[in-house]
């Protein structure tokens, strides 16, 4: 059965959101989500890295299968992701130094962002074609960015609210993330 691109896109962005449903990429989700501007930059960087990862990982997987060494998949994907993140870091440093400074330590952390590696492995497990893999990866990244920006907007708004002392900081962030995850569960019947 051929899955439609629309189902891949809606499923990846809303139904199986990488952060809110699959719990991948929680570290940058909680760490970079204090400002909307930084969240948008991180979302764009992750989208770029995930798209490139799909384009590179899919043919590499075909080679690994052909050579009978598909057990090397995780190590090969980690090396590819690390190289791609270094490339993104160099490009951002040249093109947008302010965004590079705003992302700070979190840009190199894309290398260890389990969402990027998870998506590369999931697209192979789902047996998607190259085009479906790219659509899936970009859609997952858009879902990640959407969750990140929504969460950052809520956190910015919470800075102006009277939050009980016991809930300030991380506790209110976790409660907010939980409520956001429940809101995304409302999309679960779409695909």
């Amino acid at each position: 059965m051929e899955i439609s691109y629309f189902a891949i896109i809606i499923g990846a962005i809303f139904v199986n959101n990488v952060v809110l449903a699959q719990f991948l990429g929680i570290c940058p989700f909680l760490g970079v989500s204090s400002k909307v501007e930084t969240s948008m930059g991180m979302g764009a960087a992750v989208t770029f890295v995930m798209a490139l990862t799909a384009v590179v990982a899919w043919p590499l997987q075909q080679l690994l299968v052909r050579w009978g060494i598909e057990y090397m998949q995780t190590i090969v994907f980690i090396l590819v992701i690390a190289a791609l993140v270094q490339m993104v870091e160099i490009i951002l440093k040249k093109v947008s130094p302010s965004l590079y400074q705003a992302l700070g330590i979190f840009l190199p952390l894309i290398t260890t962002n389990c969402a990027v590696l998870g998506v590369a492995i999931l697209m192979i497990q789902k047996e998607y074609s190259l085009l479906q893999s790219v659509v899936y990866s970009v859609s997952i990244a858009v879902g990640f960015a959407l969750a990140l920006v929504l969460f950052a907007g809520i956190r910015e708004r919470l800075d102006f609210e009277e939050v009980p002392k016991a809930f300030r900081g991380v506790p209110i962030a976790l409660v907010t993330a939980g409520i956001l995850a429940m809101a995304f569960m409302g999309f679960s019947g779409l695909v």
Side-chain angles (χ1 to χ4, degrees):
M1 182 173 127
E2 184 73 21
I3 188 165
S4 74
Y5 290 102
F6 181 73
I8 292 173
I9 293 167
I10 297 300
I13 295 173
F14 298 110
V15 178
N16 296 315
N17 186 285
V18 72
V19 176
L20 302 173
Q22 297 177 4
F23 307 112
L24 296 173
I26 297 292
C27 180
F29 179 71
L30 293 174
V32 184
S33 61
S34 57
K35 294 184 178 163
V36 172
E37 183 179 333
T38 307
S39 295
M40 290 183 350
M42 180 63 148
V46 167
T47 302
F48 185 67
V49 169
M50 280 192 187
L52 285 177
T53 299
V55 169
V56 174
W58 192 87
L60 279 175
Q61 178 65 22
Q62 305 311 310
L63 287 174
L64 293 175
V65 169
R66 178 178 291 163
W67 295 334
I69 55 171
E70 50 273 346
Y71 57 86
M72 297 289 292
Q73 175 191 59
T74 303
I75 295 190
V76 169
F77 286 178
I78 287 171
L79 292 173
V80 166
I81 291 166
L84 291 174
V85 169
Q86 288 299 318
M87 186 179 74
V88 169
E89 191 171 359
I90 290 168
I91 291 170
L92 270 181
K93 198 173 191 178
K94 288 258 187 209
V95 173
S96 179
S98 60
L99 181 58
Y100 175 79
Q101 288 294 329
L103 289 174
I105 188 67
F106 293 104
L107 189 58
L109 284 178
I110 293 176
T111 305
T112 59
N113 185 347
C114 57
V116 179
L117 177 61
V119 167
I121 292 172
L122 284 171
M123 71 180 196
I124 300 301
Q125 286 177 348
K126 292 177 184 278
E127 298 179 356
Y128 285 152
S129 67
L130 178 59
L131 184 57
Q132 287 174 326
S133 295
V134 172
V135 168
Y136 177 71
S137 296
V138 170
S139 299
I140 284 285
V142 168
F144 177 81
L146 175 66
L148 202 62
V149 170
L150 286 173
F151 190 56
I154 294 169
R155 286 183 74 181
E156 279 185 357
R157 174 89 190 255
L158 282 172
D159 288 343
F160 299 109
E161 300 297 325
E162 278 287 323
V163 177
K165 189 173 183 177
F167 280 100
R168 289 185 190 144
V170 174
I172 195 66
L174 293 175
V175 169
T176 304
I179 293 170
L180 191 58
M182 287 191 305
F184 270 66
M185 282 178 60
F187 295 109
S188 62
L190 287 177
V191 280

